[in-house]
Amino acid sequence: MNEPPQQHYLELSENPVQFEHASSVNNVFFDEANKQVFAVRSGGATGVVVKGPDDKSSVAFRMDDKGEVKCIKFSIGNKILAVQRTSKSVDFINFIPDYPHTEFSQECKTKNANVLGFCWTTWNEIVFITDQGIEFYQVFPDKRSLKLLKSQSINVNWYQYCPETAVILLSTTVQGNVLQPFAFRNGTMSKMSKFEIELPVIPKPAKLSLSERDIAMATIYGQLYVMYLKHHSRTANSPSAEVVLYHLPREGACKKSHVLKLNTTGKFALNIVDNLVVVHHQSSQTSLIFDIKLKEPDCAVNTHQPVLPARSIHPYRMPLAGPAVVPSQPPMPCQLYSSSWSVFQPDIIISASEGYLWYLQVKLPPTVNLLQDKGKLMDFLLRRRDCKMVILSVCSQILEGGDKGSLPVVATVFDKLNQVYKEYLEAEQSYTVAMESGPSRGSAAQKRPVRTQAVIDQSDMYTHVLSSFTERKEVSHKFVIAVLMEYIRSLNQHQITVQHYLYELVIKTLVQHNLFYMLHQFLQYHVLSDSKPLACLLLSLESTYPPAHQLSLDMLKRLSTANDEIVEVLLSKQQVLGALRFIRSVGGHDNVSARKFLDAARQTGDQMLFYTVFRSFQQRNQRLRGSPAFNPGEHCEEHVVHFKQLFGEQALMKASTV
Amino acid sequence: MLMISPRMASGMQEKQYTPSLLSFFIYNPTFGPREGEEEKKILFYHPSDIEKNEKIRNVGLCEAIVQFTRTFCPTKPAKSLHTQKNRQFFFEPEDNFWIVMVVRNPMIEKPNKDGKPPTIEYQEEEILDTVYGAVVRQCYSMYKLFNGTFGRAMEAGGVELLTQKLEKFFYRYLQTLHLQSCDLLDVFGGISFFPLDKMTYLKIQSFVNRVEESLSLIKYTAFLYNDQLIWSGLEQDDMRILYKYLTTSLFPRHSEPELAGRDSPLRPEVAGNLLHYGRFLTGPTNLKDPEAKFRFPKIFVTAEDGYEELHLIVYKAMSAAACFMINASVELTRDFCEQLDSLVGPQLTLLASDICEQFTINRRISGPEKEPQFKFIYFNHMNLAEKSTIHMRKTASVCLTSVHPDLMKILGDINCDFARVDEDEEIIVKAMTDYWVVGKKSDQRELYVILNQKNANLIEVNEEVKRLCATQFNNIFFLD
């Protein structure tokens, strides 16, 4: 391998499903629906070992050897086992406890038809696909019998099944390129609209030209697609192979929707991982990935180039496990892209000769350095499952680079993150509203929106990116402030309420560099939104920057819920009359503590001020209670004594005089 | 303290003279301390055609007055001298450098019968010290903006260079002084800020940051719209004087061709696919001109270690103007200007139309502008923000006010009263002709309101002002 190891963006799962490799006595089968591998020894007589995607679904049993097994599959939940041994019938064995275990059999209804295979659609519903049509049965394990629910006759070359959507695709006509999908749901079978695959060359005379190997079905971004591997042909004007995607909606016509350019020729295999189409190329031993949501500006509509340059799957060493372990033996490097590999949808790779089943996985960190366009990279990452930490690391990387002209890039990245963030917040909001208005309203019960990893909120950005970034010494403060403002701009543009800790970060940075006038201007235009914590922070800056006092008071005033704080600030500045006038103007005069004001007035040492404040409260008492005297609860006794000392008993307002 | 102004009672034949500049000179007493060398003290004298001995006499007089008043208060010598015919203002901006401005008092010429020469009546009390004191200080600040301190010229080239610089600068500058229209706003020397919503403001921030990042030569940026400030990367005091220069000198000079229409240089430039309206107000008028010179005015602003010299590039697209300041030691090339033009032009054009759109939306929300019952001037010492509904748009030549000069003088008087004390206060004056004038001072803010309400009493006026504060100034803390 010439390329650095971190550039492999695809890897095989670390814990593969291991099974006994295929041999003359051991036949191996794979069921895509349950993702189970069946190792059938001697037709089942010496044992059948079923390895599922996890240990719980592994089963081992024996069955009578009644001939060569052609196909073997459990119904969903391992309830019933179906085994096809002849081209005419399928045998069933109950795996439900307390049910009779003896086999029962079902012949296909159509005369002279050969059973090509079968698919379980539920725990007790099964579809036979014959060369003359399909037959949809319900199995009654207790009665050991089947009931035909529906059938359809049609000439079939081969079929494919997509278990996720329970859709069966049949290849019909002589050339095999007219595909007829059927959908199954709760005992019903519905015919979907058929469509034709454009062949690169029309053979003359007509013969079967569309191979089962070149067609795969998978759901990508929640939509069902039929993928067609269109090989290059010398006669037709197609220099290299491509994958053509046909979108198969539940209702309506199937449409050719995307073309993936492979830019090479040879043998290919397809997987779907994390909504990416992975194309393996055997001769170069590399793989390509495509993201059908990634728009290519310089390509025709829906024509896609690979997202990243071709790379091989990360080198893999066979884990040492099972009975074959020899302690001294080093792990064996595994031959990747081996011709013995079988690839299944969506993300399964099986090496039957070695007895391994892997899941293909996408590793995101290596993609970061392979995709130079950061905007495109973000688009790509935001649609991946485990993207959060990678995205955050990309953000840090962009900021640390501090390259010239990186601000527009920073802005683009922030905008993309906040778009996703905003969509989530909106969904959450409308969910909350729907919940509050009661479940009775609205027919469809709304689902709580799922918070994917792509939702990167302000606290994520703060914790993982911004707080450490602002502390870096080598970054110019100009750039730090520009980045913070850019983030705040982006949040505002997406109508997301900015959290005050971001403002605090801005203020902290500005204060550190004595950029008070800048801070002043930001506050003047309300870029840093009003809040009590922010107002208090400003108050604390007053000693270094006196105008902060005015800014803080303005903010408290605008909050309109901070009248007490305003009074405190004014009193602390010995502006007792101002405080009194303010509290009167907002109608809070009746409820304030007289003692607080009298304390402050007395502290000023201004006797006339004390007199004024004292009399003002006496008048208030008179108005409220009909007497100028203070209540004991107000704790103003010492001030009454003080007043008498200064101005004499007769200066006190008497109840009778009013 | 109200008097009926003679102006208002004057008859048809009377002739009214507004205050005017009699002389303006700068001297340094240490430059010619010995007898017979007095002329050396004089660094600049306007008008220049005055006889030498008279110049020396006038300078000597000023020197004597300052010296004399120093005996009473060594730190604060006389600032002005009131005489019947004129008033002199003294200002020492740098050690031993004195600027003196002599203003002739306004006067009325009354024709006499029987062919006698007309009687001249000087109005000694009409001029406000604060206003003209501020004008003198502004003269110095403006000189300093473009030339640096007197001391700097002395260091660089001695008296000879300094006198040259003074001559060059003040010869033109004094012609632009319009003493008759100076008023309270000159005292404040404030900055009018453009009202803007948060989002558009952030876009401007983003624009400024991006330009400064990609053209890293740019050290500071200021952004204006409609001659009002939106963003200043300069410190407040530097911005204050630069703003004054931009709004009273540079912009008005360039607004005429814009208004003229067809012959204007406002040709949309095609850069790439983007149409833009950007152009340089300083430096090259036409980038395509092979003869174009890439020289920009230089300005001096305060820096951590004294001052720094900068190129001033003013670039405008529609009503949006961006000032870019670049270290003067860098030579600006055609390349750089083209780069700036192609980067800033399209973005600034877009921003300008964004701002314009936002502005119209906001105006529509706040309703059509009605002529209010009152006029006001607001000033905040903290951020130098000023707002006046009294002043019409300033042009290069005149500053129009919509109220009578007598009312303006009352505002000035109230301002003097405010300056004397630190406390918050409020002054209500009933002027003649049914006007009420209210001055309010709260913390660092001052508000002056002129109400035209016949038969209103003190309580009603007070209520009216409260209402005004509640509607116009509801988002700031204003003590009642």
Side-chain angles (χ1 to χ4, degrees):
Chain A
M1 292 288 148
N2 292 328
E3 64 230 28
Q6 65 267 24
Q7 295 221 322
H8 304 284
Y9 48 78
L10 289 168
E11 63 181 356
L12 300 174
S13 53
E14 227 172 289
N15 300 307
V17 175
Q18 291 188 41
F19 53 89
E20 191 182 342
H21 62 84
S23 64
S24 54
V25 290
N26 184 41
N27 287 331
V28 177
F29 299 90
F30 180 64
D31 169 19
E32 288 176 82
N34 292 324
K35 301 188 179 6
Q36 289 170 322
V37 182
F38 289 76
V40 182
R41 286 185 70 90
S42 319
T46 45
V48 177
V49 179
V50 185
K51 290 279 183 81
D54 50 66
D55 292 339
K56 266 180 280 174
S57 43
S58 295
V59 194
F61 57 89
R62 271 173 212 282
M63 59 184 192
D64 297 334
D65 184 0
K66 294 181 178 169
E68 195 199 343
V69 173
K70 291 185 163 183
C71 186
I72 180 167
K73 284 173 187 173
F74 269 119
S75 76
I76 289 153
N78 292 0
K79 299 280 195 282
I80 306 163
L81 182 73
V83 188
Q84 188 197 347
R85 294 179 176 112
T86 69
S87 60
K88 296 289 172 203
S89 66
V90 178
D91 307 325
F92 296 90
I93 305 166
N94 282 335
F95 271 69
I96 306 164
D98 308 330
Y99 275 51
H101 281 235
T102 26
E103 283 189 22
F104 53 102
S105 186
Q106 176 69 45
E107 263 188 40
C108 69
K109 292 274 194 247
T110 322
K111 272 182 193 158
N112 304 323
N114 289 318
V115 177
L116 300 174
F118 62 86
C119 310
W120 287 101
T121 59
T122 66
W123 78 272
N124 67 343
E125 283 166 7
I126 195 166
V127 185
F128 290 5
I129 299 98
T130 71
D131 53 3
Q132 290 175 31
I134 53 174
E135 296 168 8
F136 185 32
Y137 293 97
Q138 187 174 7
V139 184
F140 298 97
D142 46 343
K143 295 180 194 147
R144 301 176 59 238
S145 66
L146 281 80
K147 180 182 141 196
L148 182 68
L149 295 173
K150 208 158 183 190
S151 65
Q152 171 94 35
S153 60
I154 180 169
N155 282 327
V156 179
N157 302 310
W158 47 261
Y159 75 98
Q160 296 244 325
Y161 179 54
C162 173
E164 279 175 276
T165 51
V167 170
I168 290 174
L169 193 66
L170 307 177
S171 157
T172 67
T173 71
V174 181
Q175 293 173 46
N177 65 332
V178 176
L179 300 180
Q180 173 64 62
F182 286 91
F184 297 86
R185 189 186 280 172
N186 306 325
T188 64
M189 176 178 99
S190 48
K191 192 174 178 179
M192 296 163 76
S193 55
K194 66 177 175 193
F195 60 98
E196 191 178 326
I197 300 273
E198 293 167 33
L199 294 171
V201 214
I202 315 287
K204 276 180 191 157
K207 57 168 188 182
L208 185 60
S209 308
L210 184 65
S211 156
E212 158 176 26
R213 280 200 310 274
D214 294 336
I215 292 290
M217 268 198 294
T219 49
I220 307 170
Y221 294 117
Q223 295 294 314
L224 180 62
Y225 288 91
V226 172
M227 301 183 283
Y228 165 47
L229 197 56
K230 186 176 178 183
H231 294 282
H232 109 106
S233 91
R234 248 171 251 112
T235 46
N237 189 21
S238 55
S240 61
E242 52 191 34
V243 175
V244 183
L245 264 56
Y246 292 81
H247 179 217
L248 211 58
R250 278 253 157 233
E251 271 154 42
C254 176
K255 261 203 337 240
K256 179 175 166 178
S257 60
H258 302 271
V259 175
L260 316 181
K261 293 282 185 191
L262 303 183
N263 306 320
T264 178
T265 59
K267 257 180 100 177
F268 300 98
L270 299 173
N271 271 135
I272 301 295
V273 183
D274 205 0
N275 292 314
L276 294 169
V277 180
V278 181
V279 183
H280 306 290
H281 184 226
Q282 202 185 12
S283 56
S284 69
Q285 305 223 337
T286 57
S287 305
L288 292 168
I289 57 175
F290 294 86
D291 184 348
I292 58 167
K293 280 205 180 173
L294 218 54
K295 296 268 183 302
E296 305 272 347
D298 42 355
C299 275
V301 191
N302 291 332
T303 301
H304 299 263
Q305 291 294 334
V307 180
L308 302 169
R311 288 287 183 271
S312 74
I313 296 171
H314 194 278
Y316 186 84
R317 284 170 188 279
M318 302 290 192
L320 295 170
V325 174
V326 179
S328 61
Q329 191 185 339
M332 282 284 293
C334 168
Q335 202 211 328
L336 302 173
Y337 301 91
S338 146
S339 56
S340 70
W341 276 15
S342 310
V343 172
F344 295 92
Q345 297 317 316
D347 54 352
I348 289 162
I349 295 174
I350 293 176
S351 171
S353 62
E354 286 163 314
Y356 283 98
L357 178 151
W358 296 281
Y359 293 97
L360 187 64
Q361 293 167 342
V362 172
K363 279 202 300 181
L364 294 178
T367 64
V368 171
N369 297 320
L370 289 171
L371 200 53
Q372 290 313 311
D373 180 341
K374 299 293 177 204
K376 204 170 154 191
L377 176 65
M378 273 299 147
D379 284 337
F380 172 76
L381 290 176
L382 281 168
R383 285 194 280 269
R384 307 285 75 84
R385 205 184 306 123
D386 297 318
C387 58
K388 181 178 234 158
M389 293 323 287
V390 182
I391 289 175
L392 290 168
S393 79
V394 172
C395 291
S396 294
Q397 194 192 331
I398 298 171
L399 297 186
E400 276 154 27
D403 306 327
K404 198 176 161 189
S406 62
L407 268 183
V409 177
V410 170
T412 311
V413 168
F414 285 164
D415 283 344
K416 287 185 187 294
L417 295 183
N418 288 329
Q419 179 62 34
V420 177
Y421 179 23
K422 177 208 173 190
E423 278 161 17
Y424 169 73
L425 288 178
E426 275 180 351
E428 182 78 3
Q429 172 79 20
S430 69
Y431 171 77
T432 314
V433 170
M435 285 301 104
E436 274 165 6
S437 66
S440 55
R441 280 188 53 194
S443 53
Q446 213 173 349
K447 264 196 272 176
R448 194 187 180 89
V450 182
R451 185 182 170 142
T452 64
Q453 285 210 8
V455 178
I456 310 267
D457 65 17
Q458 297 172 59
S459 107
D460 293 327
M461 281 301 282
Y462 179 85
T463 319
H464 298 281
V465 181
L466 296 175
S467 65
S468 58
F469 164 65
T470 53
E471 271 159 26
R472 290 172 66 97
K473 293 279 179 295
E474 66 276 19
V475 184
S476 81
H477 64 263
K478 215 168 171 173
F479 186 65
V480 171
I481 293 159
V483 166
L484 292 175
M485 293 315 286
E486 205 55 65
Y487 189 54
I488 291 173
R489 178 207 51 80
S490 180
L491 288 169
N492 271 293
Q493 196 158 312
H494 291 89
Q495 285 128 32
I496 300 167
T497 314
V498 180
Q499 296 296 320
H500 71 87
Y501 46 74
L502 289 176
Y503 295 141
E504 277 162 26
L505 211 53
V506 174
I507 295 177
K508 209 179 82 189
T509 313
L510 291 169
V511 169
Q512 255 171 18
H513 295 92
N514 281 317
L515 298 168
F516 290 104
Y517 188 44
M518 242 183 224
L519 171 63
H520 202 130
Q521 294 183 68
F522 289 157
L523 288 160
Q524 200 174 314
Y525 281 95
H526 308 302
V527 166
L528 311 175
S529 304
D530 301 339
S531 72
K532 266 189 206 178
L534 209 56
C536 294
L537 180 62
L538 286 173
L539 268 185
S540 72
L541 294 176
E542 194 194 340
S543 56
T544 36
Y545 185 62
H549 173 75
Q550 191 190 65
L551 291 167
S552 168
L553 270 185
D554 290 351
M555 193 177 279
L556 289 170
K557 160 92 186 296
R558 287 191 296 266
L559 285 169
S560 79
T561 53
N563 292 339
D564 292 345
E565 283 83 352
I566 292 178
V567 168
E568 292 296 334
V569 170
L570 292 174
L571 288 181
S572 74
K573 292 254 138 192
Q574 302 204 327
Q575 292 180 311
V576 187
L577 276 187
L580 206 53
R581 271 150 73 189
F582 169 74
I583 201 72
R584 209 150 47 185
S585 74
V586 297
H589 187 232
D590 292 353
N591 308 317
V592 293
S593 148
R595 190 195 156 92
K596 197 155 62 180
F597 282 80
L598 289 169
D599 281 347
R602 201 168 148 186
Q603 255 171 25
T604 63
D606 181 344
Q607 295 191 358
M608 274 324 292
L609 179 68
F610 182 72
Y611 181 88
T612 314
V613 174
F614 192 88
R615 287 299 294 255
S616 145
F617 277 102
Q618 278 196 320
Q619 279 165 12
R620 178 188 81 164
N621 296 343
Q622 175 76 39
R623 187 164 41 82
L624 291 178
R625 299 192 288 265
S627 156
F630 290 95
N631 274 347
E634 292 180 273
H635 302 291
C636 291
E637 294 78 7
E638 59 167 313
H639 293 301
V640 175
V641 173
H642 183 68
F643 187 85
K644 281 186 202 160
Q645 273 171 2
L646 287 177
F647 308 108
E649 185 94 33
Q650 68 282 0
L652 273 178
M653 196 174 161
K654 294 279 168 9
S656 53
T657 61
V658 185
Chain B
M1 60 174 277
L2 294 171
M3 311 187 305
I4 292 181
S5 151
R7 242 175 303 187
M8 306 195 78
S10 60
M12 288 284 285
Q13 309 92 324
E14 286 183 0
K15 228 171 155 186
Q16 171 88 42
Y17 292 95
T18 53
S20 59
L21 183 67
L22 270 184
S23 57
F24 184 98
F25 47 91
I26 300 168
Y27 67 90
N28 186 328
T30 61
F31 288 178
R34 269 170 294 180
E35 243 181 76
E37 290 182 346
E38 285 89 351
E39 201 188 354
K40 290 185 180 169
K41 294 177 187 175
I42 305 171
L43 301 164
F44 173 77
Y45 204 104
H46 165 88
S48 55
D49 53 1
I50 296 231
E51 200 262 320
K52 184 177 104 183
N53 283 323
E54 199 188 332
K55 286 183 188 171
I56 292 171
R57 260 204 316 278
N58 287 339
V59 168
L61 180 65
C62 294
E63 225 183 305
I65 290 163
V66 169
Q67 223 32 44
F68 172 68
T69 52
R70 238 194 248 280
T71 54
F72 301 103
C73 179
T75 51
K76 283 190 216 162
K79 283 183 179 152
S80 69
L81 175 68
H82 298 206
T83 64
Q84 189 204 9
K85 291 183 181 173
N86 57 42
R87 202 175 280 196
Q88 310 196 9
F89 298 91
F90 314 114
F91 177 48
E92 186 187 21
E94 294 172 41
D95 277 353
N96 292 313
F97 285 97
W98 287 87
I99 301 179
V100 179
M101 179 170 80
V102 185
V103 179
R104 196 198 58 201
N105 283 332
M107 57 186 187
I108 294 165
E109 205 179 67
K110 288 183 177 168
N112 278 327
K113 288 169 200 158
D114 316 328
K116 277 193 227 162
T119 330
I120 292 186
E121 209 172 88
Y122 288 97
Q123 295 171 295
E124 295 161 50
E125 297 306 320
E126 288 300 296
I127 285 183
L128 282 169
D129 278 354
T130 48
V131 171
Y132 293 95
V135 170
V136 179
R137 283 194 301 280
Q138 225 169 57
C139 288
Y140 172 70
S141 300
M142 201 61 89
Y143 169 85
K144 201 175 76 170
L145 178 69
F146 290 103
N147 298 280
T149 58
F150 296 158
R152 181 184 170 271
M154 287 297 293
E155 272 169 39
V159 182
E160 205 175 320
L161 181 70
L162 177 60
T163 49
Q164 253 175 40
K165 279 183 173 285
L166 290 173
E167 193 67 45
K168 193 173 163 220
F169 177 79
F170 281 108
Y171 173 73
R172 264 180 63 188
Y173 184 72
L174 291 180
Q175 294 174 9
T176 65
L177 277 186
H178 300 283
L179 294 185
Q180 72 279 9
S181 53
C182 293
D183 60 32
L184 188 58
L185 286 192
D186 292 282
V187 178
F188 293 146
I191 293 170
S192 178
F193 286 92
F194 187 79
L196 201 60
D197 67 297
K198 178 161 59 171
M199 197 54 236
T200 318
Y201 184 79
L202 282 168
K203 276 190 201 162
I204 293 168
Q205 273 297 316
S206 185
F207 160 78
V208 169
N209 288 333
R210 281 176 195 205
V211 173
E212 286 188 7
E213 198 203 26
S214 41
L215 300 172
S216 50
L217 282 179
I218 296 172
K219 200 156 180 199
Y220 308 104
T221 307
F223 194 101
L224 296 96
Y225 188 86
N226 257 353
D227 296 4
Q228 290 174 298
L229 187 66
I230 293 178
W231 167 251
S232 162
L234 282 182
E235 283 305 309
Q236 187 170 275
D237 281 336
D238 293 320
M239 194 61 229
R240 176 188 230 167
I241 192 70
L242 178 62
Y243 178 78
K244 175 91 185 163
Y245 163 70
L246 293 173
T247 53
T248 60
S249 176
L250 186 70
F251 292 159
R253 251 189 285 147
H254 285 84
S255 68
E256 268 93 74
E258 260 172 54
L259 297 171
R262 192 179 300 173
D263 302 326
S264 76
L266 198 118
R267 264 177 286 107
E269 293 284 330
V270 181
N273 290 325
L274 254 172
L275 217 60
H276 80 79
Y277 293 92
R279 67 201 174 97
F280 288 92
L281 292 197
T282 60
T285 41
N286 183 4
L287 276 180
K288 305 238 163 27
D289 180 3
E291 304 284 295
K293 293 272 191 299
F294 298 92
R295 274 204 301 266
F296 294 89
K298 285 180 186 156
I299 60 166
F300 291 79
V301 302
T302 42
E304 276 159 32
D305 47 351
Y307 59 84
E308 58 184 321
E309 196 177 351
L310 304 163
H311 293 291
L312 174 66
I313 300 176
V314 183
Y315 189 89
K316 202 173 177 189
M318 302 200 270
S319 294
C323 306
F324 301 111
M325 284 151 270
I326 293 171
N327 198 310
S329 60
V330 179
E331 201 183 324
L332 297 179
T333 59
R334 174 186 290 272
D335 248 19
F336 177 81
C337 292
E338 281 172 354
Q339 208 185 334
L340 188 140
D341 185 60
S342 63
L343 177 81
V344 174
Q347 288 192 57
L348 195 61
T349 306
L350 209 65
L351 262 183
S353 67
D354 265 14
I355 299 170
C356 180
E357 195 180 323
Q358 270 306 318
F359 185 60
T360 356
I361 290 171
N362 290 347
R363 250 226 307 251
R364 210 177 308 137
I365 291 167
S366 63
E369 236 168 274
K370 273 178 264 166
E371 179 75 4
Q373 279 288 300
F374 43 76
K375 294 177 183 297
F376 68 86
I377 294 179
Y378 162 86
F379 181 70
N380 183 355
H381 287 272
M382 282 296 168
N383 59 358
L384 306 181
E386 77 177 18
K387 196 173 174 181
S388 168
T389 60
I390 290 172
H391 294 77
M392 312 291 190
R393 206 181 161 81
K394 276 191 178 182
T395 65
S397 47
V398 275
C399 173
L400 293 168
T401 57
S402 57
V403 301
H404 197 276
D406 285 352
L407 288 171
M408 288 309 293
K409 178 158 185 296
I410 295 174
L411 297 186
D413 285 333
I414 297 175
N415 169 258
C416 294
D417 285 343
F418 284 161
R420 269 195 282 276
V421 278
D422 269 344
E423 308 266 303
D424 292 355
E425 57 181 330
E426 188 168 317
I427 297 174
I428 302 181
V429 178
K430 171 94 161 86
M432 72 215 77
T433 61
D434 299 317
Y435 280 102
W436 284 88
V437 180
V438 183
K440 258 168 90 78
K441 182 185 172 205
S442 170
D443 195 19
Q444 299 293 319
R445 295 180 163 111
E446 291 175 30
L447 175 67
Y448 302 85
V449 185
I450 298 173
L451 291 159
N452 179 18
Q453 275 175 338
K454 274 187 184 170
N455 312 322
N457 61 33
L458 197 59
I459 295 169
E460 286 162 351
V461 168
N462 195 34
E463 287 301 312
E464 191 61 41
V465 173
K466 267 190 183 174
R467 215 167 17 249
L468 168 71
C469 289
T471 53
Q472 296 273 326
F473 302 101
N474 58 338
N475 58 353
I476 59 172
F477 185 79
F478 229 147
L479 269 182
D480 284 324

